[in-house]
Amino acid sequence: QVQLVDSGGGSVQAGGSLTLSCTYTKRTNYMGWFRQVPGKEYEGVAIINTSTGSPVYADSVKGRFTISQDNAKNALSLEMNSLKPEDTAMYYCAAKWGFTGPTMAAADFVYWAQGTQVTISS
């Protein structure tokens, strides 16, 4: 069974940085981060192929966010820099097996953490 626990959210001013962390009990083929604001669907932020380390980023976060993994510690991180008010959301660590490839469709991710709130003030 795959269980995920995420943490690290908080409130910062625009331009600031936060790093989200996720620990897991079992590594899957793809793991990553989604975010959701009330009334909207999940948005894929970044995922990583845990075998190759290859990342995929949403256009909205490219150059600002970095996803990384520490397989020895069963941990995943999302370093977020140059944060903007529009980055405000609940962020979720999620995982899937490899059947659908490196895509960020939320419906393909079967394992989810509880979420951690990120709030960016202007």
Side-chain angles (χ1 to χ4, degrees):
Q1 181 73 335
V2 179
Q3 294 181 324
L4 309 171
V5 177
D6 53 21
S7 62
S11 298
V12 299
Q13 289 190 326
S17 299
L18 280 172
T19 297
L20 305 182
S21 299
C22 175
T23 57
Y24 51 86
T25 55
K26 183 179 178 66
R27 182 159 58 102
T28 62
N29 302 110
Y30 292 92
M31 306 187 79
W33 296 91
F34 288 76
R35 63 189 182 188
Q36 187 182 38
V37 297
K40 293 194 174 182
E41 296 185 353
Y42 289 105
E43 176 190 10
V45 175
I47 66 170
I48 190 166
N49 179 318
T50 62
S51 296
T52 66
S54 296
V56 177
Y57 294 99
D59 288 344
S60 59
V61 306
K62 280 181 182 176
R64 300 188 298 122
F65 291 12
T66 302
I67 188 170
S68 61
Q69 59 180 354
D70 186 336
N71 291 340
K73 295 183 178 179
N74 279 13
L76 189 73
S77 297
L78 183 70
E79 181 181 347
M80 306 186 294
N81 298 313
S82 301
L83 284 161
K84 305 175 181 180
E86 50 264 44
D87 294 318
T88 295
M90 184 72 81
Y91 283 70
Y92 297 88
C93 177
K96 69 172 183 176
W97 300 106
F99 310 113
T100 55
T103 59
M104 291 197 286
D108 295 336
F109 284 75
V110 295
Y111 307 105
W112 292 78
Q114 78 284 2
T116 185
Q117 178 67 39
V118 171
T119 302
I120 312 303
S121 57
S122 57

